[in-house]
Amino acid sequence: MRLKLSLNTATARKQWTLAQIIDGCARHDIRGISPWRDQVAQMTLSKAQKAIAANSLTVTGLCRGGFFTAPDWRDDNRRAIEEAATLGARCLVLVVGGLPSGSKDIEKSRSEVYEGIAEILPEARKAGVPLAIEPLHPMQAAERACINTLEQALDICEELDEADTSAQCALGVALDVYHVWWDPKLEAQVKRAGKRILAYHLCDWLVPTRDLFNDRGMMGDGVIDLPKIRRWVEGAGYAGFDEVEIFSELDWWKRDPDEVLETCKERHLRCT
Ligand code: ZN
C-alpha cells in the first residue's frame, strides 16, 4: 500500500500558475499539494485557499519559512505562519538560511537559526502550525541552509520541543531524499526522528548533476535507493503523504506539465 501522493508545486512552476497546478492535481487525482508562498501570493491567499478546499486537496506543507539569517526574518516568518494556518498546511517548511553576505562564520549562523526557531515556535504552536526544519545538502550550506544533516535538525527539535509527546509535534523535520540520501547516519537518525517526520519529499539524484539547484531527477532516474529510505521512514511510523518535489530547469520544467504529473504518479508507484 503506497502512501498518498502530494505535488510540491515547484515541480510544475515554470509551466503552470498555482491555479493551474491545483486544477492539474485534481484532474490527475493527486490528493495532496505543497505550494510555495510566492505562487500563493500571486494567486492571492484567499483564492488559493478556496481553490484548494474546493478540490479537497490536503496541504502537505507550505514552502517556506526560515532564512533566519536574513534581516526581515521575524516579519516574514510571522506571515508564513499565518498563511500556513489559513491554508490548513500540515507543516510550514523551514529552509533555515545560510551565511549572510560577507560572513565566514557558520557557527554564528547556526546559533542565529537556533534562536530564530526558538522565537517563532510559540507563535507557530499557538496558530496550530507545526514547523518542519528541512536539512539541506551541504552544497547549499552557504546560500540556503546551514542545517545540513537530519542529526543537526533533530538536535534542535529535541532541545526546543523536548516536552512534546503529542501525536503531532510542534517542531519536526521535512525529510527530503535529495538532501539526506548520502548521510551514513541516515537510518539511525530516521529511527530517532519517529513522529518528528512531518513531511517526506521525493525526487532523485542525477549523475552527473549539471546544476546545484535546478537539476533534480524524477524518481527512478538517479542513484538514490528510494525503496530503502521508504522502509526506514515508514518503519519510523511516518504515515503522511509522499511529496514529489522536482526542480528541473533542463528537463521536467520544459515538458508538458500533464506528462510531468502522470510520470510522477507512475514513478511513485514503480520506483519509490
Ligand atoms: Zn524538499
Side-chain angles (χ1 to χ4, degrees):
M1 178 66 191
R2 273 278 169 274
L3 295 178
K4 281 186 267 184
L5 186 60
S6 171
L7 186 75
N8 184 294
T9 61
T11 308
R13 67 172 301 138
K14 286 288 157 82
Q15 304 99 314
W16 275 345
T17 63
L18 181 55
Q20 289 172 305
I21 295 173
I22 293 167
D23 181 57
C25 284
R27 275 189 290 110
H28 290 272
D29 197 30
I30 293 173
R31 304 310 310 153
I33 191 166
S34 180
W36 283 71
R37 289 174 62 212
D38 59 325
Q39 295 168 300
V40 171
Q42 210 168 41
M43 184 172 180
T44 78
L45 180 60
S46 68
K47 278 189 185 155
Q49 189 268 328
K50 280 190 193 110
I52 288 168
N55 287 289
S56 310
L57 301 179
T58 299
V59 179
T60 56
L62 178 65
C63 298
R64 57 165 178 69
F67 276 80
F68 297 102
T69 53
D72 65 337
W73 68 267
R74 259 187 206 88
D75 288 344
D76 190 55
N77 279 285
R78 280 190 188 126
R79 282 195 300 272
I81 290 167
E82 282 170 26
E83 290 163 23
T86 302
L87 292 171
R90 290 200 170 175
C91 63
L92 173 64
V93 174
L94 300 181
V95 174
V96 298
L99 298 176
S101 153
S103 168
K104 296 186 181 184
D105 193 345
I106 196 166
E107 289 78 16
K108 182 162 180 271
S109 283
R110 286 179 174 148
S111 71
E112 285 172 2
V113 166
Y114 180 89
E115 296 302 328
I117 295 172
E119 197 174 317
I120 64 163
L121 185 58
E123 293 179 38
R125 229 190 222 117
K126 209 167 115 191
V129 174
L131 299 176
I133 303 170
E134 183 166 12
L136 259 51
H137 190 283
M139 71 178 173
Q140 299 189 356
E143 286 156 287
R144 294 179 63 75
C146 59
I147 302 300
N148 307 105
T149 64
L150 182 54
E151 183 175 34
Q152 279 178 297
L154 291 172
D155 285 349
I156 297 175
C157 291
E158 288 173 7
E159 281 179 42
L160 293 178
D161 191 35
E162 60 179 325
D164 197 318
T165 53
S166 60
Q168 174 74 283
C169 291
L171 183 60
V173 295
L175 192 68
D176 187 325
V177 294
Y178 196 71
H179 295 301
V180 301
W181 70 276
W182 56 273
D183 184 350
K185 292 184 178 173
L186 187 59
E187 181 176 11
Q189 293 299 318
V190 166
K191 196 176 278 179
R192 174 189 175 197
K195 65 183 165 53
R196 290 200 192 273
I197 301 173
L198 301 178
Y200 182 47
H201 296 179
L202 291 173
C203 65
D204 213 334
W205 185 282
L206 296 177
V207 178
T209 289
R210 299 161 291 179
D211 178 302
L212 291 187
F213 291 98
N214 295 325
D215 193 24
R216 291 181 175 217
M218 180 63 69
M219 295 82 74
D221 288 344
V223 297
I224 304 179
D225 189 339
L226 294 164
K228 179 183 74 181
I229 301 178
R230 160 181 303 286
R231 280 197 301 279
W232 296 344
V233 167
E234 291 185 0
Y238 180 73
F241 280 65
D242 288 330
E243 179 178 321
V244 176
E245 183 185 35
I246 300 175
F247 301 80
S248 176
E249 196 82 63
L250 297 162
D251 191 349
W252 298 96
W253 283 348
K254 289 182 174 170
R255 300 202 196 195
D256 171 1
D258 282 304
E259 176 202 341
V260 176
L261 267 56
E262 271 312 301
T263 309
C264 287
K265 282 176 67 176
E266 189 260 321
R267 298 291 185 88
H268 174 237
L269 287 176
R270 193 159 60 81
C271 303
T272 76

